[in-house]
């Protein structure tokens, strides 16, 4: 049974968001797995719009190890509870995906095309290299902007950007916005044992 302990104050939700930010900065686990562990249930992807071709800017190409203006796939979607249609939107994700580098089998390619399986689930061996995870709004990036919230409950609380790696090769550039709904439900599990201990302070 999942015991629900709501965050009574905005400060509680902010503290929880900062805890998740620390975890994302330090542990190379795909975002979907982190959020699923946090909320205590499986997640699915809800497409925001159909996938579209995207020409990489020089910065994006550099992060993905590709020539500038390479065409990749831009995917925009939400992470929502796996079961039911009335669950909250927990996060919005924009991903620039180099499909050929994913090396998916036929089933994986079909799941990618349907759009309901999160990328971090499709690429089972994926590792996450976080660029930033912050509880203050990230600077606007005109080349990789977050979509505007589509509903009043889509209140951003955590902004992240990362490269997703498979077998050491970049396969996707992702930008995630975690909504406040993810931090106002049940109390998350203790994630501290996943984090390496802080080095001892030297006292002169």
């Amino acid at each position: 049974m999942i015991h629900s302990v709501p965050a009574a104050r905005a400060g509680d939700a902010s503290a929880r968001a900062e805890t998740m930010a620390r975890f994302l900065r330090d542990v190379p686990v795909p975002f979907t797995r982190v959020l699923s562990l946090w909320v205590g249930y499986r997640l699915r992807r809800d497409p925001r719009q159909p996938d579209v071709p995207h020409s990489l800017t020089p910065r994006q190409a550099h992060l993905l190890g590709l020539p500038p203006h390479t065409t990749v796939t831009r995917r925009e979607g939400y992470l929502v509870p796996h079961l039911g249609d009335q669950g909250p939107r927990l996060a919005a994700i924009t991903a620039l995906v180099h499909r050929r580098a994913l090396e998916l089998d036929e089933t994986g390619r079909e799941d990618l095309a349907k759009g309901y399986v999160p990328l971090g689930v499709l690429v089972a061996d994926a590792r996450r290299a976080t660029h930033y995870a912050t509880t203050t709004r990230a600077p606007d990036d005109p080349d990789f902007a977050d979509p505007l919230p589509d509903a009043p409950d889509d209140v951003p609380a955590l902004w992240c950007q990362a490269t997703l790696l498979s077998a050491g090769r970049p396969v996707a550039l992702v930008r995630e916005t975690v909504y406040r709904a993810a931090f106002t439900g049940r109390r998350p599990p203790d994630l501290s044992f996943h984090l390496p201990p802080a080095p001892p302070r030297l006292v002169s």
Side-chain angles (χ1 to χ4, degrees):
M1 173 181 286
I2 296 174
H3 296 286
S4 184
V5 183
R9 299 183 302 275
D12 294 338
S14 298
R16 293 180 182 184
E18 183 54 46
T19 298
M20 182 185 281
R22 287 183 57 214
F23 190 71
L24 289 168
R25 293 181 199 121
D26 209 49
V27 179
V29 178
F31 176 80
T32 304
R33 297 183 200 172
V34 173
L35 188 58
S36 179
L37 173 65
W38 184 277
V39 296
Y41 46 77
R42 291 174 61 203
L43 304 174
R44 64 177 169 82
R45 180 179 181 271
D46 186 11
R48 181 176 183 269
Q49 62 182 27
D51 296 351
V52 295
H54 174 87
S55 179
L56 293 174
T57 66
R59 175 182 174 275
Q60 294 164 355
H62 179 74
L63 290 171
L64 287 172
L66 295 170
H69 311 300
T70 297
T71 298
V72 297
T73 300
R74 182 182 178 116
R75 308 178 86 220
E76 289 186 11
Y78 300 101
L79 288 181
V80 298
H82 183 77
L83 297 176
D85 297 324
Q86 303 300 319
R89 289 174 179 163
L90 301 170
I93 301 180
T94 299
L96 305 180
V97 183
H98 188 212
R99 286 176 178 254
R100 189 169 57 188
L102 292 178
E103 297 185 351
L104 297 173
D105 58 19
E106 184 175 353
T107 300
R109 290 193 295 271
E110 290 176 356
D111 286 341
L112 183 69
K114 291 175 183 175
Y116 296 101
V117 180
L119 192 60
V121 174
L122 281 172
V123 190
D125 67 341
R127 292 173 61 84
R128 173 190 173 87
T130 298
H131 307 165
Y132 63 77
T134 175
T135 54
T136 57
R137 186 170 183 85
D140 287 336
D141 181 350
D143 299 325
F144 197 26
D146 281 325
L148 292 174
D150 288 330
D153 291 339
D154 296 344
V155 180
L158 177 63
W159 293 263
C160 318
Q161 184 173 310
T163 301
L164 204 60
L165 307 167
S166 178
R169 294 194 306 173
V171 296
L173 182 64
V174 293
R175 185 165 184 174
E176 302 114 350
T177 303
V178 188
Y179 294 137
R180 194 171 183 273
F183 304 115
T184 55
R186 77 182 189 104
R187 186 187 304 281
D190 181 9
L191 303 177
S192 60
F193 66 90
H194 290 284
L195 300 169
R201 294 184 177 181
L202 297 177
V203 180
S204 57

